[in-house]
Amino acid sequence: MEAIINQLFEIEKKAQENQIELFERNFNRIQHEITELGYKVINPIGLNYDERDNSVEANLMHANAKKITKVLKPVIYHNSGDGFVLIQKGVVIVE
């Protein structure tokens, strides 16, 4: 399921970069289904980077980098019945 979520994330990101809104309803529907299956997908773009955050692996562009400017892979959690468990760390670039 992680591979499917990652591919969907890439397709959605490319559609947004190219200002293609034609598929927005379809993306929302698929994301709803993913949520119904117990997954939580988080895109941390624009957030301030915190080195204590264990949910992301960051590539810092310089020593004073603070803001997540690019997300290569989203953070994925799955509800195991006892709460959400991290199944994929996000991979981000911080500038």
Side-chain angles (χ1 to χ4, degrees):
M1 190 62 166
E2 292 170 58
I4 292 170
I5 292 171
N6 285 322
Q7 288 301 308
L8 177 63
F9 180 80
E10 281 298 313
I11 294 167
E12 186 175 18
K13 185 168 67 168
K14 288 175 183 177
Q16 289 173 349
E17 288 171 356
N18 291 298
Q19 299 178 349
I20 301 172
E21 298 174 6
L22 179 66
F23 305 111
E24 185 174 348
R25 184 174 93 41
N26 302 94
F27 287 129
N28 289 337
R29 181 67 181 142
I30 293 169
Q31 289 170 350
H32 172 75
E33 293 299 325
I34 289 170
T35 301
E36 288 294 310
L37 292 171
Y39 290 90
K40 186 188 302 186
V41 181
I42 300 171
N43 180 353
I45 190 85
L47 298 178
N48 287 330
Y49 172 67
D50 183 348
E51 66 270 356
R52 298 170 296 176
D53 184 353
N54 292 326
S55 69
V56 294
E57 293 180 6
N59 296 315
L60 302 175
M61 299 309 286
H62 53 81
N64 295 326
K66 302 269 190 220
K67 181 92 55 193
I68 297 173
T69 58
K70 188 170 185 179
V71 178
L72 305 175
K73 286 189 175 183
V75 179
I76 304 174
Y77 291 95
H78 187 254
N79 190 342
S80 66
D82 294 330
F84 284 95
V85 176
L86 180 66
I87 61 169
Q88 175 179 283
K89 288 185 175 189
V91 178
V92 302
I93 295 176
V94 181
E95 293 185 59

